[in-house]
Amino acid sequence: MLFRSAAELTADARLVLDNVRELLGTKPRLSMSICSVASLTDAATAERRLELANQRAVAVRDYLLARQTIKPQRLRECLSHEAKGDAKATVELVF
């Protein structure tokens, strides 16, 4: 996912999530996990990096639930973690 700042979704990310929301709307038995990964360049401390990762996962979840077309129990959050090496921060959607 792409973020403008710490946990603000970009327009491109919202378009992707609109497609995900549409998919979930047509597949009522499908559930999804939202897994956030912090980059070592996100913040100076591990605690702050994990906090940012959690905020990103919440931003994705909240966006998907905003129109109230998806039941919250269909979305699960994974435990956020730090990326290895120079990997970039990301939010992974796992069906």
Side-chain angles (χ1 to χ4, degrees):
M1 286 295 128
L2 303 172
F3 294 89
R4 258 189 222 159
S5 62
E8 184 182 352
L9 295 166
T10 64
D12 288 342
R14 288 191 299 273
L15 286 173
V16 169
L17 292 174
D18 287 342
N19 289 331
V20 169
R21 185 171 28 213
E22 185 177 323
L23 173 68
L24 289 170
T26 62
K27 307 277 187 197
R29 293 179 166 224
L30 188 64
S31 62
M32 183 179 76
S33 295
I34 302 167
C35 306
S36 187
V37 181
S39 167
L40 294 176
T41 60
D42 275 340
T45 67
E47 182 178 331
R48 179 66 182 136
R49 288 189 291 271
L50 291 178
E51 182 180 317
L52 287 170
N54 287 330
Q55 289 172 359
R56 290 176 182 136
V58 168
V60 168
R61 183 201 66 212
D62 288 351
Y63 186 84
L64 289 170
L65 295 175
R67 292 192 186 156
Q68 300 176 348
T69 57
I70 301 169
K71 293 181 181 179
Q73 58 268 29
R74 293 177 63 199
L75 303 178
R76 295 181 299 273
E77 290 180 46
C78 300
L79 185 61
S80 295
H81 62 279
E82 288 186 294
K84 303 221 185 299
D86 61 350
K88 296 186 181 202
T90 187
V91 174
E92 299 167 349
L93 306 178
V94 182
F95 296 92

